[in-house]
Amino acid sequence: MSDERKILVTSALPYANGPIHIGHLVEYLQTDIWVRFQKMRGHRCIYICADDTHGTAIMISAQKKGVTEEEFIAEMSASHQTDFTGFGIEFDNYGSTNSPENLEQCNRVWKSLRDADMVVEEEIEQLFDVEKGQFLADRLVRGTCPKCGSKDQPGDNCGNCGETYSPAELVDPISGLSGTTPEIRKAKHLFVQIEKEHAFLDEWIQSGSVPTESANHLKGSFLNEPLRAWDISRPGPYFGFEIPDSPGNYWYVWFDAPIGYIGSTQQWCDKNGEKLEDWWNSESTEIHHFIGKDIQYFHTLFWPTMLKTAGFSLPTKVHIHGFLGVDGEKMSKSRGTFINASKYLEHLDPNFLRYYYASKLSSRVEDIDLNVDEFVAKVNSDLVGKVVNLASRTAKFAGAVGLSDKYPDDGGLFAEFATAGDPIAEAYEAGDFSKAMRQILELADKANPFVENNAPWELKKDPDKAQQLQDVCSIALNLFRQLSIYLAPVLPDIAEKCGELLGEPITNWEQSKTPLLGTPVNKFKHMMQRVDPKKVQAMIDESVVIEETAPAVIQNFDDSDEALKAEPIEDEISFDDFMKLDLRVARVVEANEVPEAKKLIQLKLSLGGDETRNVFAGVKEAYEPAELVGKLVVMVANLAPRKMKFGVSEGMIIASGSGKKEVYMLSPDEGAVPGQRVH
RNA sequence: GGGGCUGUAGCUCAGUGGUUAGAGCAGGGAACUCAUAAUUCCUUGGUCGUCGGUUCAAGUCCGACCGGCCCUACCA
């Protein structure tokens, strides 16, 4: 450990629009473990994070709550930090993107982009909500497609004809904020031409700073064609920083968020008498970002481009992780598996989750699954049964006499454990925590048989064997101490308790190489409770989100509000509006496989007599063509025809569900005949 | 369709081209009682998705196919 490294580590900045949940924690725990590991190895390592506080969503949430944005983000930041502290996540600095330090760094990066002639301006026609006094993001506008006349289309492209357009081209646009008709206003937007750095990115992506699988993905997608200029401005009002040389315009939240890494570092430097340049402009400092796969292109395309242009160091490594699932499914509020950090802490020990995640995380960009049964079994069996048990079963025999003065012959166990420290450290370094945990548990599996074979409980019965008893316990406790050192990045609490038990704090990895001798052994206290499955269940039960105002009559139905939340009810329409929609009962008379299509089935629908329609329906994953023939369905009969890849579709079948396999066609009760109108 | 990833025991996963493919958990049997119904020992269980190819040698490399996931294009 001669070469001390200087390492700056970040986790993605949590957005100040909601509480921390167990999905977020995959990232923060992973990063915290890595940072603690580096610190134990004697490196200079700082962990930098901040709340990501800007953007439209924050404005809307603050408005809803009736507080200022500043009040809103202050409260959220406090809540985030409480959660992080509760899980033992220790930042060296936790800042905010809404800070003077960050503004200063944004200005600096911005000036560099200007100087490098990376920024272009373009007038864009955008819709303005007069009532709310703000420009509307594309997704906040709906209206009629200018090309095909389909109603209720989003502001960026038509779901019907596929035409892309600007929201200003929509016919009869409606604001999603106020429901009023917005007016067209021109606004100047600023774009960063990252295409200018395409060659640099091609090379950087392959440099080893990005996981291979991500590099391959980027190479085959974004980098395979010219990179689109990045729209980094938003017209006011917008909660963010106003662009100094473009009054009335604000930096888009994704511009100032990553710069928040630097801004928060600046804050830390100011507090600690350090120079920012030593961390962000130094070849001897490593920079490691930990992020989720969903935001990789910000961190692997835009971010390096910004850093390079502004003369900052490039990331040494971008560690990318997958998403968290629970029991094989996405986290779900209705199932109670969307668990907030604070809710977890009400019921369970944070160390359980720290260990469980560590035992699942690898250096690959893979989703991990929190299997509830496995969670209980693994923590109880590995940590309580094997590791902690080692101390629990021997400490009290040694309490009276302490540890032996001379390390006894243990058949090479201590030396073996000490040697194992190197591969374990390698696994930690690579982010392969699951491998590290496996190796540590292998050691624990060698320590327990040692105790078994030397039966201290038998030795205790014979006063002549007192020395032997002390020796056996000294060995077992030293082995336990080695395990605690190796687990310390994951389980700092266990390391601390081990330090208390044996009278010497655990602070450094190298302590695993030398046994403790001749010191007293303190009274053993339980180091970790077993996981109580009942508490896990209680946590899940309390996390279930149900409809608040369910009328008494339907209380027996436990339908969740998930579907409604996913797609809120549309604005009110008049009866005339409704009558424009011509729904008809139709019979499927033909259903053909479209071999090249992934989602579509070609249907011939009969409205009775000779009236038929050719319809492409996106139900391939949910229905077999054969089972559809003869079926009565409900179709939109007067929908404008749409040209699709495999032909023209002349209508739409009514179905519910989120798509893919979750598609449920509606069919009439018996007696209905094709051609009948539905109203 | 294009791009990326993935398929090893009931479950979660290891397996630098080289002896009869491993671990943990779960299952079965026994021992022990120091320990938080902890521990230890023994044991059941796999055509390594399928088919080809390269090689003296393939779970491992290559190709095709089949299945799963993600992004994207066609969810009227």
Side-chain angles (χ1 to χ4, degrees):
Chain A
M1 287 297 31
S2 51
D3 297 22
E4 182 188 293
R5 289 154 62 191
K6 219 164 144 187
I7 311 170
L8 187 149
V9 184
T10 71
S11 289
L13 313 186
Y15 198 48
N17 199 28
I20 301 299
H21 56 68
I22 57 171
H24 292 121
L25 287 171
V26 171
E27 176 165 313
Y28 301 99
L29 288 177
Q30 178 183 32
T31 315
D32 185 67
I33 290 167
W34 201 77
V35 167
R36 285 176 183 271
F37 167 72
Q38 299 299 352
K39 288 178 175 172
M40 275 188 78
R41 296 286 278 177
H43 299 308
R44 192 87 206 287
C45 182
I46 57 171
Y47 184 9
I48 299 293
C49 199
D51 256 29
D52 178 14
T53 59
H54 292 153
T56 314
I58 303 286
M59 289 171 72
I60 294 173
S61 295
Q63 260 174 38
K64 264 188 199 161
K65 240 193 144 189
V67 297
T68 66
E69 284 94 353
E70 284 78 4
E71 286 167 338
F72 184 82
I73 62 174
E75 193 179 315
M76 200 53 83
S77 176
S79 138
H80 287 175
Q81 292 187 61
T82 304
D83 290 342
F84 289 138
T85 303
F87 274 91
I89 296 160
E90 284 183 355
F91 300 107
D92 287 276
N93 196 65
Y94 196 85
S96 163
T97 56
N98 194 45
S99 70
E101 293 87 353
N102 198 37
L103 176 59
E104 184 191 331
Q105 298 306 326
C106 287
N107 281 325
R108 183 168 162 191
V109 173
W110 183 245
K111 186 172 184 306
S112 312
L113 290 169
R114 284 286 201 189
D115 290 349
D117 204 19
M118 296 279 284
V119 182
V120 289
E121 300 182 358
E122 210 176 305
E123 284 259 304
I124 286 187
E125 287 197 329
Q126 231 189 332
L127 291 175
F128 186 82
D129 186 320
V130 182
E131 190 178 307
K132 293 278 175 186
Q134 60 180 271
F135 281 98
L136 295 164
D138 292 358
R139 265 180 270 161
L140 285 173
V141 191
R142 295 187 84 84
T144 302
C145 170
K147 179 103 176 257
C148 71
S150 300
K151 305 232 177 220
D152 195 31
Q153 296 302 324
D156 43 5
N157 68 312
C158 176
N160 184 12
C161 61
E163 179 76 0
T164 56
Y165 42 74
S166 81
E169 293 173 63
L170 279 177
V171 180
D172 299 332
I174 296 291
S175 163
L177 283 183
S178 63
T180 58
T181 304
E183 62 182 45
I184 297 174
R185 290 197 188 172
K186 283 197 175 173
K188 185 171 71 181
H189 276 240
L190 300 166
F191 293 79
V192 175
Q193 298 173 295
I194 58 168
E195 176 59 14
K196 285 192 172 180
E197 292 294 348
H198 198 133
F200 154 72
L201 287 169
D202 274 338
E203 199 192 325
W204 185 73
I205 286 300
Q206 303 295 336
S207 69
S209 299
V210 176
T212 321
E213 55 234 272
S214 292
N216 291 345
H217 175 246
L218 292 167
K219 195 177 162 193
S221 53
F222 296 103
L223 290 170
N224 201 22
E225 48 195 45
L227 293 158
R228 279 205 232 158
W230 184 33
D231 183 355
I232 52 82
S233 77
R234 295 292 182 272
Y238 188 83
F239 184 57
F241 293 136
E242 193 165 13
I243 302 176
D245 52 18
S246 182
N249 282 313
Y250 293 75
W251 282 309
Y252 175 47
V253 54
W254 263 109
F255 177 80
D256 68 57
I259 295 175
Y261 297 142
I262 304 176
S264 185
T265 309
Q266 174 73 63
Q267 216 170 48
W268 177 82
C269 287
D270 293 345
K271 282 183 209 160
N272 293 279
E274 296 265 339
K275 286 197 196 120
L276 186 71
E277 280 60 40
D278 291 343
W279 293 92
W280 280 97
N281 301 78
S282 161
E283 285 196 2
S284 60
T285 301
E286 301 172 30
I287 295 173
H288 292 257
H289 297 303
F290 285 79
I291 60 165
K293 63 182 182 182
D294 52 332
I295 57 172
Q296 55 178 305
Y297 73 90
F298 286 106
H299 284 81
T300 54
L301 300 176
F302 301 135
W303 182 230
T305 303
M306 285 159 72
L307 289 171
K308 175 173 183 268
T309 308
F312 287 113
S313 306
L314 294 168
T316 309
K317 204 167 169 188
V318 181
H319 305 249
I320 305 176
H321 61 81
F323 297 144
L324 177 74
V326 180
D327 284 340
E329 314 225 21
K330 281 185 183 172
M331 292 195 297
S332 141
K333 290 189 175 173
S334 62
R335 270 191 293 270
T337 53
F338 198 103
I339 300 164
N340 285 336
S342 54
K343 179 56 72 183
Y344 176 100
L345 290 172
E346 280 173 31
H347 297 274
L348 297 169
D349 183 341
N351 290 299
F352 301 160
L353 199 66
R354 289 184 72 101
Y355 177 71
Y356 185 76
Y357 280 170
S359 76
K360 302 289 269 188
L361 282 164
S362 73
S363 55
R364 318 196 54 173
V365 187
E366 272 180 340
D367 291 352
I368 67 168
D369 189 54
L370 195 168
N371 179 288
V372 174
D373 293 337
E374 190 198 20
F375 171 80
V376 175
K378 210 173 181 68
V379 171
N380 285 345
S381 152
D382 289 359
L383 293 185
V384 181
K386 288 175 181 172
V387 177
V388 172
N389 187 226
L390 205 52
S392 174
R393 67 195 306 200
T394 53
K396 85 171 179 195
F397 296 132
V401 290
L403 296 177
S404 306
D405 292 325
K406 187 167 166 258
Y407 194 74
D409 178 16
D410 65 359
L413 274 177
F414 188 89
E416 188 189 339
F417 277 35
T419 310
D422 291 337
I424 291 170
E426 271 174 42
Y428 268 119
E429 177 68 40
D432 239 329
F433 299 162
S434 59
K435 194 173 187 176
M437 295 309 106
R438 254 196 328 274
Q439 289 171 342
I440 295 168
L441 262 292
E442 256 176 56
L443 297 180
D445 279 337
K446 286 177 181 163
N448 274 307
F450 169 83
V451 177
E452 201 81 9
N453 294 334
N454 289 281
W457 54 94
E458 293 293 341
L459 298 173
K460 190 185 67 171
K461 294 172 186 167
D462 185 349
D464 293 343
K465 292 183 176 165
Q467 183 58 47
Q468 217 180 323
L469 174 65
Q470 186 188 20
D471 285 351
V472 168
C473 292
S474 297
I475 291 165
L477 289 170
N478 267 297
L479 298 178
F480 168 68
R481 179 164 167 267
Q482 284 175 307
L483 297 178
S484 298
I485 293 167
Y486 297 151
L487 284 169
V490 179
L491 301 171
D493 288 356
I494 295 286
E496 197 185 327
K497 285 171 183 167
C498 174
E500 283 166 15
L501 180 73
L502 302 179
E504 187 181 291
I506 289 172
T507 55
N508 194 289
W509 195 262
E510 295 304 294
Q511 288 173 290
S512 63
K513 299 228 160 81
T514 322
L516 267 188
L517 296 170
T519 58
V521 174
N522 291 310
K523 191 167 165 30
F524 180 80
K525 285 180 265 182
H526 272 5
M527 295 182 171
M528 181 181 277
Q529 297 299 317
R530 299 170 61 77
V531 186
D532 182 351
K534 280 187 213 132
K535 289 188 180 168
V536 177
Q537 195 53 49
M539 172 181 80
I540 291 172
D541 290 345
E542 287 178 28
S543 295
V544 173
V545 177
I546 43 169
E547 234 175 313
E548 286 168 17
T549 54
V553 204
I554 60 158
Q555 257 180 2
N556 291 333
F557 300 101
D558 57 353
D559 298 329
S560 94
D561 62 349
E562 220 174 320
L564 195 57
K565 279 200 173 145
E567 273 184 291
I569 292 173
E570 299 292 340
D571 296 332
E572 189 174 289
I573 58 167
S574 68
F575 182 73
D576 288 344
D577 284 342
F578 169 68
M579 288 306 286
K580 285 183 193 162
L581 180 68
D582 195 342
L583 299 173
R584 298 282 169 162
V585 175
R587 188 183 299 281
V588 180
V589 289
E590 268 180 38
N592 298 312
E593 194 85 45
V594 185
E596 311 88 77
K598 214 152 142 187
K599 291 185 179 169
L600 299 177
I601 291 181
Q602 183 181 17
L603 300 172
K604 192 172 176 188
L605 301 179
S606 167
L607 291 166
D610 297 333
E611 193 71 28
T612 62
R613 298 292 167 87
N614 183 52
V615 169
F616 288 95
V619 299
K620 189 170 185 172
E621 291 174 73
Y623 292 90
E624 288 293 326
E627 64 179 306
L628 292 175
V629 177
K631 193 175 164 72
L632 287 180
V633 296
V634 179
M635 75 171 294
V636 183
N638 63 339
L639 188 61
R642 179 185 184 186
K643 204 165 135 191
M644 297 178 70
K645 190 169 177 179
F646 309 107
V648 176
S649 185
E650 304 168 325
M652 171 178 177
I653 291 187
I654 304 295
S656 69
S658 57
K660 303 215 169 170
K661 285 176 183 165
E662 308 243 310
V663 174
Y664 312 100
M665 286 189 186
L666 271 64
S667 45
D669 283 345
E670 211 171 296
V673 295
Q676 282 177 337
R677 186 159 184 194
V678 179
H679 45 53

